[in-house]
Structure formats: C-alpha cells, structure tokens
Amino acid sequence: ISAVSYFAAEMSNVKAGEKVLILGQGIIGLYATQHFALRGAEVCVADLYDMRLQMAARCGADHVINAQRDDVVTSVLACWPGGADIVVDATASYRVVEQSLPALRPGGRYVFLGYYKAGDFNLGLLHGRVYDAFFPWTLQGRLVVASLKLMEMGALRATELITHRFAVADAPQAYETAAKYPEATAGILLDWR
C-alpha cells in the first residue's frame, strides 16, 4: 500500500519546501503524509477524525485540519494565501475533490490517490483552471522495493499505523470494525499464520 503513496510523491515531482495538502488520513493518506514529508514538503492534512490527525502529526504533518470542525479551503488559504502547490486526494470522494479545488494554486498539481468508483463529478468546476493531474494507482516492483527500504531504514513508519490486528479467519470482523468505527481505525493487519 505504501508504494502507491510513494508513487504519488514521485509522480507529482514534489520539491522541498512545496506546500502539499493531503485529504484523508486513512492508511494510504498516512503513507502519503510520510512520503511527501520525507521529500521536504510542508504538509497540511485534513481528516474527519482526531485520532488520524494525531497519527498524521507524528508522521510529519506540519498542519492538521479537522474537516468536521473547520472548512478545509478556508484553513488552507489562511495558512498559505496563494494556495497549495499540490493537493492529494486520498478519500476517493468526488464531493471532497470538488470542494478542494479552490485550495489549489493556479498551475498547481492535483493527485487523485483514491479508488474512484462510478459517480457524479461536475467537470464544469475544472473550466478555467490550469493544473496538472496525476493518477498513481499502480503497484510497480521498484516502488514496492523503494518503499520497503524506507521502512527498513526506519524513515517510513509502518507498524505504528496499525490500529487493529485480526487472524485471517476473522477478516469479516476486521472489515466490520473498519466500517463501523472509522474514527478509531487506520491500518488493519490480517495475520495469515
């Protein structure tokens, strides 16, 4: 999973000092927070749950926004008046994407890191905007190896992102936990032994 977020940072060609907004701090978003921070970006994250925001802060987020309490775009523009250089969506929500577009600076880069199912997206919102878009959903061997090396070196936090562990026989309970208690879950590990 971390290799996808690794590819997001690589594909968007993030530079040290650039301002990156990451929407969603589930397991993919938490890895994205780390990969962008490791490349020297100033990272702002938004999520609905304080537990995930606390994890993101430990993973390198410079700014956190609870999207249940604060307007994300207003908060981002208060921090970065010109907007974010890069916006990364790890929610897979068309509504979140639509609402986040004003946080992106003109000429910025948008990374679609979620798995987008059939839905309704207002393409008219893109009219008049100039930016690059990236869709890094792929698992390439070199990305997996690079991500695992970062874990081995201790630069990428993996084990502390695990909030629950289940035997593989209890997989239905694991999925139920994730669906019922998103405020208390991030990474769920299925033990295949």
Side-chain angles (χ1 to χ4, degrees):
I1 295 284
S2 67
V4 176
S5 297
Y6 182 99
F7 197 27
E10 180 181 272
M11 185 183 260
S12 64
N13 197 28
V14 64
K15 303 278 191 283
E18 284 193 302
K19 297 161 180 59
V20 178
L21 169 62
I22 301 174
L23 305 162
Q25 290 297 288
I27 194 71
I28 292 172
L30 286 164
Y31 277 125
T33 295
Q34 293 182 73
H35 284 297
F36 280 91
L38 285 170
R39 290 172 183 250
E42 182 179 349
V43 177
C44 177
V45 301
D47 198 272
L48 300 173
Y49 307 114
D50 286 329
M51 185 268 306
R52 291 180 178 185
L53 293 171
Q54 292 164 4
M55 292 176 88
R58 290 192 302 270
C59 289
D62 299 290
H63 315 279
V64 298
I65 302 167
N66 183 308
Q68 289 192 78
R69 292 192 295 263
D70 298 307
D71 181 77
V72 174
V73 172
T74 301
S75 299
V76 167
L77 295 178
C79 184
W80 304 325
D85 298 301
I86 301 171
V87 174
V88 179
D89 175 63
T91 69
S93 166
Y94 292 111
R95 188 175 142 263
V96 170
V97 171
E98 289 174 351
Q99 292 174 342
S100 69
L101 290 173
L104 183 64
R105 72 163 173 79
R109 300 172 315 270
Y110 205 105
V111 180
F112 294 84
L113 197 49
Y115 175 67
Y116 302 89
K117 299 175 184 166
D120 187 24
F121 181 74
N122 181 0
L123 291 173
L125 294 172
L126 303 177
H127 185 74
R129 294 186 178 271
V130 178
Y131 66 92
D132 292 321
F134 301 93
F135 300 85
W137 257 107
T138 184
L139 287 176
Q140 297 177 17
R142 70 172 184 82
L143 302 171
V144 173
V145 169
S147 196
L148 289 173
K149 283 185 181 178
L150 288 172
M151 287 179 197
E152 183 180 52
M153 294 171 14
L156 190 64
R157 300 164 183 247
T159 55
E160 65 189 71
L161 301 183
I162 299 168
T163 55
H164 297 78
R165 296 172 189 268
F166 291 91
V168 72
D170 297 324
Q173 183 184 355
Y175 285 101
E176 182 179 334
T177 298
K180 281 188 174 180
Y181 309 104
E183 73 282 357
T185 60
I188 294 180
L189 179 71
L190 295 177
D191 188 341
W192 290 78
R193 292 176 286 178

